Amino acid sequence: MGIAERKNRQKQALRERILDAARRIVVREGFAALSMRKIADAIEYSPATLYLHFASRDDIARALCAEGYAQLLATFVPLMQIADPAERLKALGRAYVAFGVEHPETYRLIFMEDPSYTGAALGGAVGVGKDEGNAGEPSANTRRGHSTTAPGNAAGEASEDLGDAALQIMIDALDELRTAGRLPAPVASVEPAVRAEALWASLHGIVALYLTCPVFPSAPLDTLVGVTLDAWLGAPQTARAGGSANAAVRGEKRPKRLPASSTDPPPRPPARRKAAGP
Amino acid sequence: MGIAERKNRQKQALRERILDAARRIVVREGFAALSMRKIADAIEYSPATLYLHFASRDDIARALCAEGYAQLLATFVPLMQIADPAERLKALGRAYVAFGVEHPETYRLIFMEDPSYTGAALGGAVGVGKDEGNAGEPSANTRRGHSTTAPGNAAGEASEDLGDAALQIMIDALDELRTAGRLPAPVASVEPAVRAEALWASLHGIVALYLTCPVFPSAPLDTLVGVTLDAWLGAPQTARAGGSANAAVRGEKRPKRLPASSTDPPPRPPARRKAAGP
DNA sequence: GTCTATACCCAGATAGAC
DNA sequence: GTCTATCTGGGTATAGAC
């Protein structure tokens, strides 16, 4: 059956090209500027062809999200080697913020755009659980018909686990710190999941404000991250008290914005779009 | 000149009707669903008429933002009476988050939508200042021609001050705490503006995740707020150590979501739109 | 000051020829 | 499998009659 396999490979290849083009558009012009026509233009196919690989624009967006989750988690994994939980957690925090700064449109897409996109990363396996279904109806047709015919495509399926995994990494580090008695009292006295969620929210706040508010960090970003991590983890209590664990508390030496700009150009704001037909 | 005044009043009245309708649409369907056609429909005028009062859809959005800033600041003002700076700060934090939860679409609009909207609140008067102009071009025509003919319209002009004022309230409370020696060491050792920005970011993170991520707070929202404030302000160090200052650390008594729902219905996500022609 | 009508743009999605 | 052509529906903004 070599012929069928070749056809499958070709189909996969086109699928990847579509996703590549879509990613480039999102990165350059923002998610709002992503349209089927633009993707089709970019890969020099007709718009109709896209629908043989993805059920809808939303479907493509979800695939991009899955990639984003994987990318974020991939930046976390090597940091798990850090033995000291406090250092590990700080590295994770800095990596998280750096990811958001370096990939603004990707970060926007997966964490700031649409509840159904953001929710796809968290299976809800962590913590207590929720009431009030807030997800809503935005396209309940996650995968219908085509686009899932081929089994082993990259980052298509279990994107739910990725977000949970990232959160779990933080929970673990926090737990180690707690059992070692190295957390400030108010932080130590809550449930692990709550701790992790709250810390996550703090980091997300920094990134989100940075990406949305032009005049936000009047302070250098890593200063902000440093003081936030210190507030949560407490200053190191092994001797030499008072000082912060972060080197750049007043760090005027470092560049104001972490890596100046790495992958994505600065967020290109509006460019709105309309809703679809039937 | 009573005739001219009457005409002016009428013009103002229609302006208010437009803004009212726009606010209702944003609150009910989200900012993305706001369109000139819809506003015109709602007030039973033709779309063309709107352009006699506002230069563009963007202009209307800015006016709504200004209202939002004023509204947020108004919830802060009464809390300034609280004598104890720690209690004041906690009340401010809770009020901030509550505002975001009770007015999700308003909060989205002013803090999560567009850099040019969010930036309008902060004059940049606070803190060190920034480099890298990130604002961008989205409609530099803030006020041109009409719509500013009448002088005393509500919440039209100095919206820049409002955001700064809110931040300043937080800075002041933090300063009082610091001079009283009641801040944790890592938090006390940074500049006041940085402290305030970082705390603000933490609170924003909670609200932003709550509004965007369907499965985010597996913990009750006020638990999250409580532990965050405790992390920043430290547990009260006057005797009875260890315990948190916030009553609801494990508070299963309270409703999961603060006021169930007050003004705005739950965020109604997408509904995108396109960019305009010349 | 307000309207109708319209120019012009963009989008998502599909039918049916090839 | 791919395309052309098209349907349907949205949008901003303006010209010109009343």
Side-chain angles (χ1 to χ4, degrees), chain B residues 15-51:
Chain B
R15 191 190 151 93
E16 278 311 310
R17 284 190 64 196
I18 293 171
L19 244 31
D20 276 359
R23 196 179 325 106
R24 270 196 302 273
I25 292 170
V26 167
V27 158
R28 281 205 315 260
E29 311 174 51
F31 172 63
L34 182 70
S35 79
M36 301 302 261
R37 284 197 210 289
K38 249 183 220 174
I39 299 172
D41 264 14
I43 62 172
E44 298 179 294
Y45 274 76
S46 95
T49 302
L50 303 190
Y51 290 93

Side-chain angles (χ1 to χ4, degrees), chain A residues 30-185:
Chain A
F31 173 63
L34 182 70
S35 77
M36 302 301 262
R37 290 165 131 89
K38 245 185 223 174
I39 299 172
D41 264 13
I43 62 173
E44 297 178 296
Y45 273 76
S46 94
T49 302
L50 303 191
Y51 290 93
L52 299 176
H53 298 261
F54 295 92
S56 65
R57 171 180 180 271
D58 230 61
D59 203 18
I60 295 180
R62 256 185 295 273
L64 289 180
C65 283
E67 286 185 0
Y69 297 133
Q71 206 179 340
L72 175 59
L73 190 60
T75 72
F76 274 12
V77 168
L79 303 180
M80 291 175 66
Q81 297 180 22
I82 301 176
D84 182 67
E87 287 309 312
R88 191 192 322 147
L89 209 39
K90 290 186 180 186
L92 288 168
R94 282 189 284 259
Y96 182 87
V97 174
F99 178 86
V101 172
E102 289 168 33
H103 312 287
E105 294 300 343
T106 302
Y107 189 90
R108 281 195 108 92
L109 178 61
I110 66 182
F111 284 130
M112 301 169 66
E113 205 68 56
D114 187 301
S116 84
Y117 300 158
T118 305
L122 292 321
V126 185
V128 194
K130 277 239 314 225
D131 43 9
E132 202 176 55
N134 195 9
E137 76 300 314
S139 62
N141 52 340
T142 307
R143 34 193 108 264
R144 67 163 185 218
H146 29 247
S147 94
T148 11
T149 48
N153 50 20
E157 242 60 305
S159 63
E160 296 190 3
D161 306 337
L162 302 179
D164 286 339
L167 202 49
Q168 192 59 47
I169 293 177
M170 278 188 21
I171 292 177
D172 290 344
L174 282 167
D175 272 349
E176 285 184 50
L177 274 176
R178 192 203 119 90
T179 54
R182 289 169 61 194
L183 282 181

